[in-house]
Amino acid sequence: ILMKVGGSGVIPMMARSTIGRLELHWLRRWASRIMILNEGMREEALQEGFPPGQIYWMPNPVDTDEFTPCDPVARLERRARFDLPSSAPVVLYCGRLAPEKALPSLVDAFALVVRRIPDAVLVLVGDGPLRAPLAEQAARLQLPEKNLRFAGRVAPGDVSSWLQIADVFTLVSPSEGFPCALAEAMSAGLPAVASDIPGNRQLIESGQHGLL
């Protein structure tokens, strides 16, 4: 029996319910390995009585041939295809537009950025239940449409192209396991502004690969 835990906070959440505690009991007894994604999750597993030898770090993989930087000419061609200004500073988020990603705080912050850098563009690649509320929030903040781009759901093969046209990647969620989107952005050569959580700290050394 192998169990991969999907993200930070999952094991403590299980421990708060009777069924979850029962599941943890049987996993401690029968599982050959409990696979975790970051050191914070290791600490959570240890606190719930899993022996160190039962815990195994298994990061998510990234195709570094697909997610790679592109040359300046290809970058300009991709920006033209996506209808983005050639010289505008572009900040990109890629993932679900869902509450657990803390995107309202990102839009709040970007509204402040635009006051200082009027041509900056925030691109949200992905879709989800927060799309309409985020658009309403941007309107309340008087954030012009030209500065906030909802790219929507894109084909998997286009994700690397969106990363190649950006200047900065951002991931501000309060909890992650091993963030594939962040690893893909780094593979594409992007510095990141990311939340200071265990899942991101194992990838980002602040000031070296981006900012936490």
Side-chain angles (χ1 to χ4, degrees), residues 10-29 48 50:
V10 172
I11 290 176
M13 179 180 65
M14 293 170 67
R16 290 195 291 269
S17 73
T18 301
I19 293 176
R21 288 192 295 273
L22 184 61
E23 185 174 6
L24 291 173
H25 167 76
W26 288 111
L27 286 171
R28 283 191 295 267
R29 184 167 181 178
E48 292 304 323
F50 288 94

Side-chain angles (χ1 to χ4, degrees), residues 103-109 132-143:
L103 294 172
S105 67
L106 174 60
V107 173
D108 278 341
L134 289 172
E136 294 169 0
Q137 177 187 1
R140 289 195 304 272
L141 294 170
Q142 298 182 327
L143 185 60

